[in-house]
Amino acid sequence: MNRHTTSLLLSGALMFGAATAQAAMPDEATLYKNPQCGCCDGYARHLEKMGIAVTVIDDADLGQIKEASGIPYGLGSCHTVEMGEYVIEGHVPLAAVETLFEELPAIDGIGLAGMPIGTPGMPGPQQEPYEVYQFTDRQDAAFMSL
Protein backbone atom coordinates (compact mmCIF):
# COMPACT_ATOMS: atom_id res chain seq x y z
CA MET A 1 0.00 0.00 0.00
CA ASN A 2 1.38 3.39 -0.82
CA ARG A 3 1.71 6.25 1.60
CA HIS A 4 -1.22 8.22 0.17
CA THR A 5 -3.64 5.30 0.51
CA THR A 6 -2.52 4.65 4.08
CA SER A 7 -3.06 8.31 4.97
CA LEU A 8 -6.54 8.29 3.44
CA LEU A 9 -7.52 5.11 5.29
CA LEU A 10 -6.21 6.47 8.59
CA SER A 11 -8.02 9.80 8.08
CA GLY A 12 -11.24 7.98 7.27
CA ALA A 13 -10.96 5.81 10.37
CA LEU A 14 -10.32 8.84 12.57
CA MET A 15 -13.28 10.71 11.07
CA PHE A 16 -15.53 7.68 11.56
CA GLY A 17 -14.40 7.41 15.20
CA ALA A 18 -15.06 11.11 15.81
CA ALA A 19 -18.47 10.88 14.17
CA THR A 20 -19.33 7.83 16.23
CA ALA A 21 -18.32 9.56 19.48
CA GLN A 22 -20.30 12.67 18.58
CA ALA A 23 -23.31 10.57 17.53
CA ALA A 24 -23.44 9.10 21.05
CA MET A 25 -23.95 12.56 22.57
CA PRO A 26 -27.57 13.50 23.28
CA ASP A 27 -29.16 16.23 21.19
CA GLU A 28 -30.49 18.12 24.20
CA ALA A 29 -29.83 18.87 27.85
CA THR A 30 -31.47 20.69 30.75
CA LEU A 31 -29.28 22.93 32.92
CA TYR A 32 -30.57 23.95 36.37
CA LYS A 33 -28.92 27.02 37.89
CA ASN A 34 -29.24 30.14 40.01
CA PRO A 35 -30.56 33.12 37.97
CA GLN A 36 -27.55 35.30 38.86
CA CYS A 37 -24.89 32.77 37.82
CA GLY A 38 -23.19 33.82 34.59
CA CYS A 39 -20.63 31.02 34.60
CA CYS A 40 -23.48 28.52 34.29
CA ASP A 41 -24.66 30.33 31.16
CA GLY A 42 -21.07 29.97 29.88
CA TYR A 43 -21.26 26.22 30.43
CA ALA A 44 -24.56 26.11 28.50
CA ARG A 45 -22.88 27.94 25.60
CA HIS A 46 -20.09 25.33 25.54
CA LEU A 47 -22.68 22.55 25.27
CA GLU A 48 -24.47 24.45 22.52
CA LYS A 49 -21.19 24.73 20.57
CA MET A 50 -21.16 20.92 20.63
CA GLY A 51 -24.56 20.93 18.90
CA ILE A 52 -26.63 20.26 22.03
CA ALA A 53 -29.85 22.23 22.52
CA VAL A 54 -29.79 23.43 26.13
CA THR A 55 -32.87 24.38 28.14
CA VAL A 56 -31.81 26.63 31.02
CA ILE A 57 -34.00 26.61 34.13
CA ASP A 58 -32.81 29.31 36.49
CA ASP A 59 -35.52 29.34 39.11
CA ALA A 60 -35.32 25.76 40.34
CA ASP A 61 -34.63 24.65 43.91
CA LEU A 62 -31.04 23.50 43.30
CA GLY A 63 -30.81 21.68 46.62
CA GLN A 64 -33.82 19.59 45.73
CA ILE A 65 -32.49 18.94 42.18
CA LYS A 66 -29.12 17.81 43.55
CA GLU A 67 -30.73 15.57 46.17
CA ALA A 68 -33.08 13.98 43.64
CA SER A 69 -30.15 13.47 41.25
CA GLY A 70 -28.09 11.63 43.86
CA ILE A 71 -25.19 14.10 43.95
CA PRO A 72 -22.87 13.05 46.79
CA TYR A 73 -22.95 15.42 49.76
CA GLY A 74 -20.22 18.06 49.60
CA LEU A 75 -19.41 17.48 45.91
CA GLY A 76 -21.89 19.89 44.40
CA SER A 77 -21.30 22.87 42.18
CA CYS A 78 -23.28 25.83 40.90
CA HIS A 79 -25.37 23.99 38.31
CA THR A 80 -26.72 20.55 37.51
CA VAL A 81 -27.27 19.23 33.99
CA GLU A 82 -29.55 16.39 32.94
CA MET A 83 -28.32 14.92 29.69
CA GLY A 84 -29.62 11.66 28.31
CA GLU A 85 -29.79 9.20 31.18
CA TYR A 86 -27.01 10.97 33.10
CA VAL A 87 -26.51 13.89 35.46
CA ILE A 88 -23.49 16.16 34.99
CA GLU A 89 -22.73 18.19 38.12
CA GLY A 90 -20.83 21.43 37.71
CA HIS A 91 -18.18 22.61 35.27
CA VAL A 92 -17.16 19.16 34.04
CA PRO A 93 -14.70 19.51 31.15
CA LEU A 94 -16.25 18.53 27.86
CA ALA A 95 -13.67 15.77 27.29
CA ALA A 96 -15.09 13.97 30.34
CA VAL A 97 -18.67 14.45 29.07
CA GLU A 98 -17.66 12.96 25.72
CA THR A 99 -15.99 10.02 27.47
CA LEU A 100 -19.14 9.44 29.53
CA PHE A 101 -21.26 9.12 26.39
CA GLU A 102 -18.66 7.03 24.55
CA GLU A 103 -18.37 4.51 27.39
CA LEU A 104 -21.97 4.64 28.72
CA PRO A 105 -21.07 3.26 32.19
CA ALA A 106 -23.78 2.05 34.58
CA ILE A 107 -23.63 5.11 36.86
CA ASP A 108 -25.93 8.02 37.71
CA GLY A 109 -23.53 10.67 36.44
CA ILE A 110 -20.27 12.56 36.73
CA GLY A 111 -19.26 15.76 38.46
CA LEU A 112 -16.55 18.25 39.28
CA ALA A 113 -16.90 19.84 42.70
CA GLY A 114 -16.67 23.59 43.08
CA MET A 115 -15.99 26.00 40.27
CA PRO A 116 -12.41 25.32 39.07
CA ILE A 117 -10.70 28.01 37.04
CA GLY A 118 -10.23 27.15 33.38
CA THR A 119 -13.20 24.79 33.05
CA PRO A 120 -15.99 25.53 30.55
CA GLY A 121 -17.70 28.70 31.72
CA MET A 122 -14.92 29.63 34.17
CA PRO A 123 -12.31 32.08 32.87
CA GLY A 124 -8.59 31.68 33.32
CA PRO A 125 -5.95 29.01 32.81
CA GLN A 126 -6.15 25.60 34.42
CA GLN A 127 -4.43 25.70 37.83
CA GLU A 128 -4.33 22.00 38.72
CA PRO A 129 -5.68 18.67 37.42
CA TYR A 130 -9.45 18.41 37.27
CA GLU A 131 -10.53 15.38 39.29
CA VAL A 132 -13.83 14.34 37.74
CA TYR A 133 -15.80 11.90 39.87
CA GLN A 134 -18.56 9.46 39.02
CA PHE A 135 -21.45 8.75 41.31
CA THR A 136 -24.22 6.27 41.92
CA ASP A 137 -26.66 6.41 44.84
CA ARG A 138 -24.74 9.34 46.41
CA GLN A 139 -21.49 7.32 46.45
CA ASP A 140 -18.56 8.77 44.52
CA ALA A 141 -15.50 7.25 42.91
CA ALA A 142 -12.84 8.55 40.52
CA PHE A 143 -13.91 8.87 36.87
CA MET A 144 -10.95 10.60 35.26
CA SER A 145 -8.30 13.24 35.82
CA LEU A 146 -7.77 15.95 33.19
Side-chain angles (χ1 to χ4, degrees), residues 101-112:
F101 286 99
E102 287 170 8
E103 296 178 357
L104 299 173
I107 60 175
D108 292 339
I110 59 175
L112 183 62

Side-chain angles (χ1 to χ4, degrees), residues 17 23 39 50 62 64 71-74 77 80 85 88 107 110-111 118 122 138:
C39 64
M50 295 176 67
L62 288 176
Q64 186 177 21
I71 308 296
Y73 182 77
S77 185
T80 302
E85 299 296 318
I88 293 120
I107 60 175
I110 59 175
M122 294 297 296
R138 292 184 178 62

Side-chain angles (χ1 to χ4, degrees), residues 20-27 83-88 95-110 134-136 143-144:
T20 302
Q22 187 64 26
M25 294 287 286
D27 294 335
M83 205 167 157
E85 299 296 318
Y86 294 106
V87 173
I88 293 120
V97 175
E98 290 172 335
T99 299
L100 174 68
F101 286 99
E102 287 170 8
E103 296 178 357
L104 299 173
I107 60 175
D108 292 339
I110 59 175
Q134 64 184 22
F135 61 93
T136 301
F143 182 70
M144 69 187 311

Side-chain angles (χ1 to χ4, degrees), residues 1-51:
M1 212 182 287
N2 69 31
R3 228 179 186 179
H4 183 68
T5 304
T6 302
S7 294
L8 283 175
L9 288 173
L10 180 58
S11 295
L14 290 172
M15 285 176 37
F16 177 75
T20 302
Q22 187 64 26
M25 294 287 286
D27 294 335
E28 52 189 43
T30 301
L31 186 144
Y32 300 93
K33 70 177 203 66
N34 180 300
Q36 288 79 33
C37 193
C39 64
C40 300
D41 293 325
Y43 195 84
R45 285 190 296 275
H46 280 281
L47 292 175
E48 288 167 345
K49 286 179 186 174
M50 295 176 67

